[in-house]
Amino acid sequence: MPDKDASTPRIFILRHGETEWSKSGQYTGKTDMPLTPHGEAQVKGTAQQVYGLGKLIDPAKVAKIWLSPRKRAIKTYELLSGRNDGYEISESLAEWDYGDYEGRLTKDIRALRKDRGLDKEREWDIWSDGCEGGESSAEVTARIDTLLKEIRTFHANRMHSSEPKDIILVAHGHLTRAFAKRFLGYELSFPLSLMMEPGGVGILSYQHHNIDEPALLMGIGFPLQE
């Protein structure tokens, strides 16, 4: 039996398209930035390639859709699907609360922390150190795990069912990577390097049709388009 086939539930996790701050590298948590025209084009390009009947993300196979409450994530789903309904908003998918670091660049955050007498032995790392005035890695973990528990219960009940079982999540740069780490069972501080481009989509699933074997689906064969 293959590790993965069309009957195994999948989680399609998407990062919203480009904003002015994602373009410049500024940390964007609660600030409700709109997509740039290029960001909208990124999502439309993704949709053209992977979303639709018979495509990788087949809406006929999607059972649940959860979105971050930020407008940039909601707009991304609307551009992807052509719909403005049928989804749930989840605070579990909101971007990391950057607190004092909102709108800053990494180099500026590290300089600020050194001015405050922090990080004398190593440079700041959000996965271990969290954000002053914002969230710690433990707090981000707790809210992700709340949604993960719901997803795992849903998938466990449908693992061997013919009913729709795929899930779409739309979130943010740090949050998508944090979610993938937690899905795989890693602490956020675990040195697993992951990347997610604006408008990009990643896939999480399970090996051997087993809810206790979560996996990153590294490669997939795309269906032939007629």
Side-chain angles (χ1 to χ4, degrees), residues 62-135:
V62 173
K64 288 184 175 290
I65 300 145
W66 279 287
L67 312 181
S68 159
R70 304 294 170 249
K71 292 178 182 178
R72 57 194 183 273
I74 296 170
K75 181 66 173 180
T76 293
Y77 175 70
E78 291 176 348
L79 291 171
L80 176 81
S81 66
R83 297 183 58 180
N84 60 6
D85 59 7
Y87 57 78
E88 298 177 50
I89 296 297
S90 175
E91 288 291 339
S92 293
L93 295 175
E95 181 60 295
W96 204 304
D97 181 352
Y98 297 125
D100 296 354
Y101 308 154
E102 184 80 1
R104 298 177 184 267
L105 302 173
T106 299
K107 64 182 180 65
D108 297 327
I109 295 169
R110 288 175 171 163
L112 174 68
R113 288 176 63 89
K114 287 186 178 180
D115 287 344
R116 292 177 175 178
L118 302 171
D119 309 328
K120 294 180 180 179
E121 297 183 0
R122 61 170 177 80
E123 290 188 314
W124 169 73
D125 173 41
I126 190 171
W127 306 107
S128 299
D129 305 320
C131 300
E132 294 178 281
E135 286 183 297

Side-chain angles (χ1 to χ4, degrees), residues 27-213:
Y27 280 55
T28 320
K30 292 184 174 181
T31 305
D32 224 351
M33 303 287 290
L35 301 183
T36 63
H38 178 64
E40 293 193 7
Q42 286 174 321
V43 179
K44 290 176 182 177
T46 297
Q48 187 178 59
Q49 295 297 320
V50 304
Y51 186 90
L53 293 176
K55 293 187 177 182
L56 177 63
I57 306 177
D58 187 335
K61 298 179 179 179
V62 173
K64 288 184 175 290
I65 300 145
W66 279 287
L67 312 181
S68 159
R70 304 294 170 249
K71 292 178 182 178
R72 57 194 183 273
I74 296 170
K75 181 66 173 180
T76 293
Y77 175 70
E78 291 176 348
L79 291 171
L80 176 81
S81 66
R83 297 183 58 180
N84 60 6
D85 59 7
Y87 57 78
E88 298 177 50
I89 296 297
S90 175
E91 288 291 339
S92 293
L93 295 175
E95 181 60 295
W96 204 304
D97 181 352
Y98 297 125
D100 296 354
Y101 308 154
E102 184 80 1
R104 298 177 184 267
L105 302 173
T106 299
K107 64 182 180 65
D108 297 327
I109 295 169
R110 288 175 171 163
L112 174 68
R113 288 176 63 89
K114 287 186 178 180
D115 287 344
R116 292 177 175 178
L118 302 171
D119 309 328
K120 294 180 180 179
E121 297 183 0
R122 61 170 177 80
E123 290 188 314
W124 169 73
D125 173 41
I126 190 171
W127 306 107
S128 299
D129 305 320
C131 300
E132 294 178 281
E135 286 183 297
S136 67
S137 60
E139 289 170 322
V140 174
T141 294
R143 59 184 175 88
I144 288 174
D145 285 359
T146 298
L147 180 57
L148 264 178
K149 182 179 180 180
E150 186 172 352
I151 289 173
R152 285 182 188 267
T153 299
F154 177 78
H155 277 163
N157 290 335
R158 294 202 179 189
M159 182 63 70
H160 302 287
S161 166
S162 61
E163 297 177 274
K165 62 188 74 173
D166 288 346
I167 287 172
I168 295 175
L169 307 177
V170 184
H172 308 267
H174 273 117
L175 202 287
T176 53
R177 290 177 282 162
F179 187 94
K181 283 187 175 184
R182 292 305 300 147
F183 181 82
L184 297 172
Y186 296 117
E187 299 295 327
L188 296 195
S189 59
F190 185 81
L192 177 65
S193 295
L194 299 169
M195 298 174 66
M196 178 66 87
E197 295 183 351
V201 55
I203 311 173
L204 302 169
S205 191
Y206 308 90
Q207 296 187 78
H208 310 120
H209 302 82
N210 187 346
I211 198 71
D212 294 321
E213 294 187 62

